[in-house]
């Protein structure tokens, strides 16, 4: 492959990973990311951009996989402490007792 084709492949791969990692929907995402990467691509040497891009792509893929695995194998990660205790109790077949409400003392 020619160096130019390699650069285009790397550029597209990093944009795909950034878009997959993005939280906002595609319609609301700005084009600033793509424009910034294009400017960097045009202003740097091919070898520097290719090696840096491959490192960034590997990092972004790894982070996405880490988040997927964390969500799959540790589903309690985003719960509050009380919700985590209740979920753990349900997991072992128990229900948490209903706590009495504190009434205002007059």
């Amino acid at each position: 492959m020619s160096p130019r084709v390699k650069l285009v492949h790397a550029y597209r791969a990093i944009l795909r990973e950034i878009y997959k990692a993005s939280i906002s929907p595609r319609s609301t995402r700005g084009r600033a990311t793509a424009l910034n990467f294009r400017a960097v691509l045009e202003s740097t040497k091919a070898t520097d951009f290719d090696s840096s891009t491959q490192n960034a792509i590997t990092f972004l893929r790894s982070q996405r996989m880490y988040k997927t695995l964390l969500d799959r194998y540790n589903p309690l990660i985003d719960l509050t402490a009380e919700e985590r205790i209740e979920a753990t109790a349900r997991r072992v077949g128990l229900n948490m007792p209903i706590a009495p409400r504190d009434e205002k003392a007059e």
Side-chain angles (χ1 to χ4, degrees):
M1 266 194 282
S2 71
R4 180 72 179 154
V5 172
K6 282 180 137 179
L7 284 176
V8 171
H9 283 288
Y11 171 74
R12 288 180 180 167
I14 198 161
L15 286 181
R16 271 193 304 272
E17 288 300 322
I18 289 172
Y19 290 152
K20 286 179 184 177
S22 178
I23 297 171
S24 61
R26 187 174 188 151
S27 61
T28 60
R29 245 183 275 145
R31 294 193 44 145
T33 305
L35 294 175
N36 287 336
F37 272 107
R38 186 171 296 239
V40 169
L41 171 68
E42 292 171 353
S43 67
T44 60
K45 289 191 266 179
T47 56
D48 293 342
F49 184 78
D50 188 42
S51 64
S52 298
T53 304
Q54 293 303 324
N55 289 338
I57 291 168
T58 303
F59 174 76
L60 289 170
R61 282 184 185 150
S62 299
Q63 285 298 311
R64 189 166 39 92
M65 181 58 71
Y66 172 75
K67 182 173 178 354
T68 302
L69 292 173
L70 192 64
D71 290 343
R72 180 182 301 164
Y73 294 111
N74 194 1
L76 305 178
I77 194 75
D78 59 345
L79 300 178
T80 63
E82 185 176 319
E83 291 171 334
R84 190 176 303 123
I85 292 170
E86 289 177 11
T88 303
R90 278 194 312 267
R91 186 183 299 157
V92 297
L94 301 174
N95 289 327
M96 292 292 295
I98 299 173
R101 294 184 183 168
D102 293 333
E103 294 183 19
K104 292 183 180 179
E106 293 182 25

